[in-house]
Amino acid sequence: MKKYYGKFGGQFVPNEVKIALDEVEKAFLKLKNDKEFKQELQYLLKTYVGRPTPLYHAKNLSKHYKHEIYLKREDLTHTGAHKINNALAQALIAKKMNKKKIIAETGAGQHGLATATAAALLGLECEIFMGATDVQRQALNVYKMELLGAKVNAITKGRKTLSDAVDEALNFWVKNTKDVFYVVGSAVGPYPYPQIVTHFQSIIGKECKVQLKKINQKVDYIVAATGGGSNAAGIFHAFLKDKKVKLIGVEAAGLGKDTPYHAATLTKGKIGIIHGMQTKVLQNDQGEISHTFSISAGLDYPGIGPLHAYLQESKRANYYAINDDECINALKLLCKKEGIIPAIESSHALAYLDKLCPSLKKKSTIVVNLSGRGDKDMQSVYEYKKGQIYG
Ligand SMILES: *Cc1c(COP(=O)(O)O)cnc(C)c1O
């Protein structure tokens, strides 16, 4: 399997990590075509995760935007977001490799939750690395992970957020590779992780393609939010060769385009190395990695999966940034029009409809990947503009 997407990706890691990655690569290449593994995963995706998720024709929103809008309902999966597709698949690989324990990094807690869920289901030990600041901010998710039997390790180094948690998880992994598998949560990190995550999330696009065909509907645009880029990679993948389908990734611009704290890696970043991969990175003129902050903790990552850096460079996909105000307006619009409360992350993708739809000359069909449900975000939405969340 190729280690790079164009010039993006690769394995920028010390030798001990490379040895661990080689073992993961070998297991993945063997299992991804293994009949028994595929059947077992498919069975769990159907009976436990709730796949296939519906492709929903949002008629009220369509009327509002004067174009046909469809939503791919990843919000209806068990645990409420697409992350479970990948966490469960990697946990199953760990089990087949006879590992006793899985570990994961988490920022907002959603990947930690998905990993703890998969560990409980498959009878694996689980330890989640989470920055101490995030542990405080996400107390409810921490409690959920503990209920599910996971140990949550609060990292007090550095800025005590996601990047520090990744470093600590890697350190722990290299020292314990015999018993431990590292479940990476987005289409990021050194090879083979971006490829593994994309492979397991690509079920979203595959289903979507079949569902569109069933209703005899051609699609013009596919829109997805990008943090590290896993749900976008997942829905884009089946359509990459179909050049008529335009692919749009939407990043978080935080408070707005003039603030330094945004997560708009592709629209503002430069080529650099972060967490073992070469990709686009938000950095200052000295090449130091920037700290991100948007209302959406799930999109707060200063890097981006290498596939997206490549799709942007090759112009196969386009990436835009949406600010917090635009995101919250889109969230509220979907609630009112369709009775669906979307995740803040997914609301960035929805917000792009406001820009896209008025610019289209002919009536178009647009699929938005509704990556997750908004229950986890109600406090942030409630407090938004009360001056509390940026305090
Ligand atoms: C984590 C998360 C994202 C962002 O992660 P990607 O890897 O870019 O998909 C988007 N939406 C939801 C609901 C999430 O939980």
Side-chain angles (χ1 to χ4, degrees), residues 19 27 58 61 93 102 123 126 131 136 146 153 159 163 168 170 184 197 232 237 261 265 269 296 331 368:
I19 294 167
L61 203 64
I93 290 182
I102 54 178
C126 181
Q136 260 180 359
E146 287 171 350
N153 190 341
R159 291 184 78 247
S163 277
E168 285 301 301
L170 271 172
V184 172
V197 177
H237 200 264
Y261 295 143
T265 315
S296 155
L331 182 147
V368 178

Side-chain angles (χ1 to χ4, degrees), residues 100-342:
K100 283 208 281 290
K101 178 168 179 168
I102 54 178
I103 60 167
E105 82 293 339
T106 199
Q110 294 307 112
H111 175 55
L113 203 58
T115 305
T117 301
L121 175 72
L122 299 177
L124 293 162
E125 283 173 47
C126 181
E127 183 166 339
I128 303 299
F129 293 76
M130 191 168 181
T133 311
D134 291 332
V135 167
Q136 260 180 359
R137 283 197 292 218
Q138 304 287 340
L140 199 60
N141 269 342
V142 172
Y143 182 62
K144 283 187 192 168
M145 288 182 248
E146 287 171 350
L147 268 181
L148 293 162
K151 177 179 161 195
V152 179
N153 190 341
I155 307 304
T156 51
K157 284 190 188 150
R159 291 184 78 247
K160 306 175 193 167
T161 56
L162 180 62
S163 277
D164 312 295
V166 174
D167 293 337
E168 285 301 301
L170 271 172
N171 272 340
F172 181 87
W173 187 39
V174 206
K175 287 189 195 124
N176 300 281
T177 43
K178 193 170 158 287
D179 295 322
V180 174
F181 185 98
Y182 186 176
V183 178
V184 172
S186 188
V188 298
Y191 171 84
Y193 278 106
Q195 286 78 358
I196 291 177
V197 177
T198 300
H199 176 77
F200 289 124
Q201 291 293 5
S202 67
I203 190 164
I204 303 173
K206 270 188 210 140
E207 283 176 10
C208 186
K209 208 169 187 175
V210 172
Q211 288 164 326
L212 284 163
K213 205 167 176 182
K214 240 184 208 160
I215 53 171
N216 214 2
Q217 183 71 61
K218 284 212 165 57
V219 57
D220 300 301
Y221 291 87
I222 295 179
V223 186
T226 58
S230 74
N231 85 85
I235 195 160
F236 289 177
H237 200 264
F239 297 93
L240 284 178
K241 291 206 175 105
D242 193 348
K243 298 282 161 63
K244 279 192 205 122
V245 182
K246 294 180 194 73
L247 307 174
I248 295 174
V250 185
E251 305 185 295
L255 287 168
K257 59 182 185 304
D258 298 327
T259 62
Y261 295 143
H262 52 63
T265 315
L266 284 166
T267 35
K268 301 270 180 175
K270 288 181 284 216
I271 290 185
I273 289 172
I274 183 171
H275 297 137
M277 59 180 164
Q278 173 155 292
T279 184
K280 285 183 95 180
V281 185
L282 285 171
Q283 48 194 314
N284 64 19
D285 294 338
Q286 282 74 49
E288 291 160 351
I289 291 167
S290 311
H291 304 300
T292 55
F293 200 105
S294 86
I295 186 174
S296 155
L299 299 184
D300 267 348
Y301 183 63
I304 177 75
L307 172 64
H308 294 290
Y310 172 69
L311 292 178
Q312 183 192 39
E313 196 186 61
S314 60
K315 300 195 163 64
R316 177 63 191 94
N318 288 302
Y319 296 84
Y320 303 95
I322 286 293
N323 68 33
D324 290 351
D325 272 351
E326 295 166 329
C327 161
I328 295 296
N329 288 339
L331 182 147
K332 290 181 175 167
L333 185 72
L334 192 71
C335 295
K336 293 224 169 76
K337 291 283 174 199
E338 297 288 348
I340 298 170
I341 303 179

Side-chain angles (χ1 to χ4, degrees), residues 49 51-54 71-85 201 203-204 207 231 369-373:
V49 173
R51 305 207 70 90
T53 58
L71 304 175
K72 181 61 175 156
R73 299 288 309 272
E74 293 303 295
D75 62 316
L76 293 177
T77 54
H78 177 49
T79 69
H82 68 289
K83 286 195 173 75
I84 189 76
N85 302 328
Q201 291 293 5
I203 190 164
I204 303 173
E207 283 176 10
N231 85 85
N369 198 24
L370 202 68
S371 54
R373 64 175 182 232

